[in-house]
Amino acid sequence: MTGPTGEVYRIDWLPGTDILHGTCHCGREHTAQDPVEMWEWMLAHPQGHSSDESQGNSS
């Protein structure tokens, strides 16, 4: 990274499951079991974040 951007990415683990729940700085939410998949989704912003695109397993 080149420096602070002020963007907040949040990933929570849902206890008792293998599910991760992520919230992008834009407010879109996504669930995944694979942490790499979650970070790729987050860092691909804005791809996969609009409501008119295919959501896959996002919430």
Side-chain angles (χ1 to χ4, degrees), residues 12-58:
D12 297 307
W13 166 65
L14 301 177
T17 71
D18 291 332
I19 305 292
L20 299 170
H21 177 260
T23 306
C24 182
H25 64 88
C26 70
R28 293 292 296 166
E29 296 180 346
H30 182 74
T31 57
Q33 289 186 333
D34 181 14
V36 173
E37 176 189 340
M38 179 63 74
W39 278 111
E40 287 175 346
W41 177 82
M42 291 252 189
L43 297 175
H45 177 88
Q47 294 177 338
H49 290 77
S50 67
S51 59
D52 60 334
E53 291 184 30
S54 173
Q55 296 300 309
N57 64 346
S58 58

